[in-house]
Amino acid sequence: MSAPDVDATGPEDSAPARRTSAARLAAVLVAVLVGALVAGTVIYTRGGFSEAGGLGETVIGEGGSYAETDFTRSAPGDCLTWNDDAAETPTKVPCTEPHRFEVAGTVNTAQFPGSEFGLDAPAPTPERYAELRDEHCGVIVERYLGGGLDPQGRFAVGLMFPSKAQWDRGARVLRCGIEQPGPGGVHQEFAGRVADSDQSFAWPDGTCIGIDDATRKPTAEPVNCAEPHAFQTTGVVDLSQRFGARDSGRPWPSVADQNQYLQTICPNRTNRFFGGVQKFRETTLNVQWSVISEVSWNTGSRRVACYVALPDRGGFAKLVGDAREQVLINGKIPTPPAQGPPGRALPTPVPLPPGYSPNDQEVPAPGRLRRRTPVAVKMSDADFEILVGEALDLLPAELMNAMDNVVIMIEPYNPENRNLLGLYTGVALTERTHDYAGFLPDTIEIYREIILSICRTPDEVREQVAVTVLHEIGHHFGIDDHWLEEHGWG
């Protein structure tokens, strides 16, 4: 007999072909741990997540009879859906509407050599269907999307097959396609064609992601926060705003570039999520985030997740509870550590320029003072965050790599001194000794409303943000105000 008939062509309105990605390369999804462990990384692959593959607890097509149905008539480019209690009767819907399966191609097993799929042959077992999916559907989906399925994203290759009654009456054509696996093997609904969708994971803020007890790795399945989990999300960041949309043609930003951008945004998103930096500090968790690998970037994925977690023994600590209320870390209530090492002295007070008087409530610490002007610039929080990211881009790579245990946060103003443009609090790298370990991160705070209040144009804001950010980073490296002022960063 001839080779199996594999059809991955679709109607004119089917998913457009994308440029060929590096899908065959070994791909990993890197989660960069910052906060108390800026240089730490955890690497985990898509294989670490649960894959339903269309062959979970639900048997699609089971219980129907072999008559022409939307399933047997479906062609590449069609989208199918079903109710949870009626999986045996999938129906075709426009792909713009919520659905559970996008057909990418067909496999006619009647054309396979031998008698395994002959007219008198019994229906394959679920295990055999899984083998057929793995043998044929990956290639079909890759061809259908032009190589554009993100191996680390929320979608997976799936297989739909005839019900036993249909099989017994001669139905032999299988459907390969794309699905979005959910908890317990349930197929989640999604809208839009996969080729036109951002395939990256994007959970709602506050979502808790399960943990594998054996590996201490995330399962990628949302769970009730009262159950054991690896991390809790605090925000989603769309990298297209900084590095280019999926159709921009811009190249993949390196992990270092993504980290520079996200190390400002994610701490601020997290502070807002908790309702303030102090509430977050009390959890003792770290601010962390995912980054996009090159293979995922080439498929159009652009979103990353900010989340809170704690590294533990090569994986994640087991969290129980909503971190905004009360969280247990490996079964224990967290105890916030001291702010700094024993015997640490207060930093040098701020040297004030002539004509300024110190605020009665001012806390002695290196900081940037504002100059006064009656004009203020209006700017969104997101645009201001981008300017802080641009300021970090001015740093040479060797300096960025040398920064250790420090987070940059954006606040409206300093409640104790509203003249400050920025403030560094912590133990400078030059003051750390061999026993420096286990302490909360140093902080660099940039005061958005104060900077905007002294600037007349967006360009002035950009310049002032850059000066303030680099000034405070200078304190992290142990540089005093006198040197910074002499070199134009005062």
Side-chain angles (χ1 to χ4, degrees), residues 52-56 58 60 71 82 101 105-107 126 128-134 136-137 140 156-162 173-179 187:
L55 294 169
T58 300
I60 303 171
F71 167 70
W82 55 89
F101 195 86
T106 59
V107 177
R128 180 59 175 134
Y129 276 129
E131 293 175 354
L132 292 169
R133 177 198 62 199
D134 296 341
H136 301 283
C137 291
I140 291 175
V157 174
L159 176 73
M160 292 183 69
F161 49 88
V173 180
L174 316 179
R175 266 74 182 173
C176 294
I178 309 158
E179 63 191 14
H187 299 71

Side-chain angles (χ1 to χ4, degrees), residues 112-132:
F112 276 60
S115 58
E116 180 183 7
F117 304 104
L119 290 178
D120 297 328
T125 64
E127 292 75 18
R128 180 59 175 134
Y129 276 129
E131 293 175 354
L132 292 169

Side-chain angles (χ1 to χ4, degrees), residues 32-342:
V32 179
L33 309 186
V34 290
L37 295 174
V38 170
T41 59
V42 169
I43 300 176
Y44 55 98
T45 65
R46 178 68 173 91
F49 299 154
S50 174
E51 297 186 25
L55 294 169
E57 295 299 323
T58 300
V59 180
I60 303 171
E62 185 70 29
S65 60
Y66 186 38
E68 286 297 320
T69 64
D70 283 354
F71 167 70
T72 61
R73 287 189 294 263
S74 61
D78 289 341
C79 293
L80 302 173
T81 193
W82 55 89
N83 296 326
D84 290 335
D85 57 353
E88 73 279 1
T89 56
T91 57
K92 178 181 175 181
V93 297
C95 291
T96 54
E97 297 181 5
H99 55 276
R100 301 177 189 258
F101 195 86
E102 182 176 343
V103 180
T106 59
V107 177
N108 188 354
T109 61
Q111 297 186 9
F112 276 60
S115 58
E116 180 183 7
F117 304 104
L119 290 178
D120 297 328
T125 64
E127 292 75 18
R128 180 59 175 134
Y129 276 129
E131 293 175 354
L132 292 169
R133 177 198 62 199
D134 296 341
E135 291 169 1
H136 301 283
C137 291
V139 174
I140 291 175
V141 168
E142 184 173 352
R143 186 185 308 161
Y144 172 75
L145 294 176
L149 185 67
D150 184 351
Q152 301 145 8
R154 57 193 172 106
F155 296 110
V157 174
L159 176 73
M160 292 183 69
F161 49 88
S163 68
K164 184 178 184 302
Q166 290 172 326
W167 181 274
D168 290 342
R169 290 173 173 82
R172 293 296 184 269
V173 180
L174 316 179
R175 266 74 182 173
C176 294
I178 309 158
E179 63 191 14
Q180 183 173 332
V186 175
H187 299 71
Q188 293 185 325
E189 291 185 329
F190 59 97
R193 295 191 183 280
V194 172
D196 300 325
S197 303
D198 191 313
Q199 301 179 39
S200 44
F201 285 98
W203 299 286
D205 296 359
T207 301
C208 293
I209 304 302
I211 188 171
D212 185 310
D213 286 334
T215 64
R216 311 191 70 80
K217 304 295 184 183
T219 63
E221 294 186 357
V223 298
N224 188 306
C225 289
E227 301 176 13
H229 53 275
F231 61 84
Q232 185 171 5
T233 62
T234 60
V236 174
V237 181
D238 188 346
L239 296 185
S240 64
Q241 297 179 10
R242 178 67 182 275
F243 299 108
R246 55 188 292 120
D247 57 355
S248 67
R250 293 180 61 180
W252 169 69
S254 69
V255 170
D257 288 340
Q258 294 179 57
N259 287 340
Q260 281 191 14
Y261 180 56
L262 293 168
Q263 74 176 8
T264 298
I265 293 178
C266 281
N268 284 289
R269 295 280 178 90
T270 299
N271 289 339
R272 288 200 294 268
F273 174 79
F274 280 94
V277 62
Q278 185 58 39
K279 289 185 177 180
F280 170 51
R281 284 174 176 166
E282 291 172 357
T283 69
T284 73
L285 299 173
N286 288 349
V287 184
Q288 306 175 22
W289 56 75
S290 61
V291 297
I292 296 178
S293 69
E294 186 172 11
V295 64
S296 296
W297 182 267
N298 289 337
T299 65
S301 293
R302 292 293 185 273
R303 295 177 296 183
V304 296
C306 305
Y307 55 94
V308 290
L310 202 62
D312 182 42
R313 292 173 285 172
F316 285 72
K318 183 185 295 184
L319 309 181
V320 176
D322 189 323
R324 291 168 293 187
E325 299 170 358
Q326 178 64 69
V327 64
L328 299 179
I329 303 175
N330 289 333
K332 298 180 180 179
I333 297 176
T335 302
Q339 289 283 348

Side-chain angles (χ1 to χ4, degrees), residues 349-364:
V350 178
L352 298 178
Y356 283 85
S357 298
N359 186 297
D360 293 339
Q361 295 181 325
E362 180 179 352
V363 176

